[in-house]
Amino acid sequence: MEYLMGIKGKDFVMLCGDTTAVQQIITIKHDEDKLRQIDSHKIMALAGDPGDRVQFSEYIMANVRLYALRNGQQLTTDAVANYTRGELATALRKKPYQVNILFAGFDEKAGPSLYWMDYLATMHKMNIAGNGYGSYFVLAMLDKLWHPNLTEAEALELHIKGIDEVKNRLVVAPPDFIIKVVDKNGVRDITPSSLKGAPIPGRGLEPGQGQATVVVAG
């Protein structure tokens, strides 16, 4: 039950994602960073199969860095987004990557940009965008509250409201979340401490704690 959400503000883009890695009915880990930094001013949020998510993000990251080394300049956010979509489209006819993506970046001339992509290589430039079951409960609220001059503090408040909605409405809600922002100063982790390290049953217990007590009738 994944959750990714992106909000474009006046001069920034803020992304939020859960940190749970799941394979079918098994939770693998609770500290997976699904918001991958591509370069100093670009970030990619991925949902989907854990293996495809890691492999595809590292493939895009490596090729973007290779281009910068060869040509002595960084690609724009729009260029990397279109390149990413092209790679998804190419793979679609061979072995599709099972990933849905939010791609955000900041350029000196173009300013902030947010792109939504799915595994079928569909791409749209958005002001708000989401992926995962959790986004179904949040998109309508953000669409109502978003405005073009949104500040960073307002966007963070909207993300926290969205997370509260996911925790209240989603059957199997992720326990932990991470929030990152990209602006003219680059990519930063601004996750409030209240969203980190939520208690998870059975984690961090001393031997003997958390065990069921069996009462035998005499």
Side-chain angles (χ1 to χ4, degrees):
M1 296 293 182
E2 294 183 286
Y3 175 71
L4 296 179
M5 188 60 61
I7 302 174
K8 176 188 171 185
K10 182 179 180 181
D11 53 5
F12 67 91
V13 179
M14 191 177 294
L15 296 181
C16 174
D18 71 279
T19 61
T20 305
V22 177
Q23 185 67 42
Q24 296 181 351
I25 63 170
I26 301 173
T27 299
I28 301 171
K29 57 191 300 189
H30 292 281
D31 56 356
E32 176 81 3
D33 188 353
K34 299 177 183 178
L35 311 184
R36 304 298 300 274
Q37 185 172 341
I38 303 302
D39 64 24
S40 61
H41 288 77
K42 298 175 190 66
I43 186 170
M44 177 189 292
L46 303 98
D49 179 81
D52 285 355
R53 191 172 64 233
V54 172
Q55 183 182 2
F56 187 71
S57 63
E58 291 181 349
Y59 173 76
I60 297 297
M61 190 185 308
N63 279 278
V64 169
R65 291 178 178 177
L66 179 61
Y67 179 92
L69 288 171
R70 284 179 171 174
N71 297 277
Q73 63 179 2
Q74 300 283 355
L75 287 165
T76 64
T77 303
D78 182 71
V80 178
N82 279 279
Y83 169 70
T84 302
R85 181 208 164 276
E87 293 301 313
L88 286 172
T90 301
L92 187 63
R93 292 154 179 82
K94 300 176 182 177
K95 185 181 182 297
Y97 289 104
Q98 299 298 318
V99 292
N100 297 311
I101 297 170
L102 300 181
F103 192 87
F106 185 93
D107 300 299
E108 186 176 348
K109 294 182 179 180
S113 302
L114 173 63
Y115 294 85
W116 177 91
M117 292 177 239
D118 66 4
Y119 73 101
L120 296 173
T122 305
M123 184 175 78
H124 293 284
K125 193 172 184 179
M126 310 288 286
N127 293 318
I128 57 169
N131 278 319
Y133 286 114
S135 67
Y136 299 167
F137 304 108
V138 181
L139 282 170
M141 177 184 70
L142 295 189
D143 184 61
K144 180 180 180 180
L145 298 176
W146 183 88
H147 59 87
N149 295 316
L150 201 69
T151 66
E152 189 174 313
E154 289 173 328
L156 181 59
E157 183 180 355
L158 290 180
H159 272 308
I160 292 174
K161 287 182 178 179
I163 290 170
D164 290 341
E165 194 73 12
V166 170
K167 289 183 176 180
N168 288 331
R169 302 286 297 279
L170 195 59
V171 174
V172 185
D176 300 332
F177 299 84
I178 187 170
I179 300 175
K180 293 183 181 181
V181 64
V182 56
D183 57 17
K184 64 180 181 180
N185 298 315
V187 177
R188 308 189 312 278
D189 185 339
I190 59 169
T191 310
S193 58
S194 59
L195 299 181
K196 294 182 178 180
I200 298 170
R203 186 169 72 177
L205 296 177
E206 296 296 329
Q209 291 184 331
Q211 298 178 0
T213 302
V214 179
V215 179
V216 180

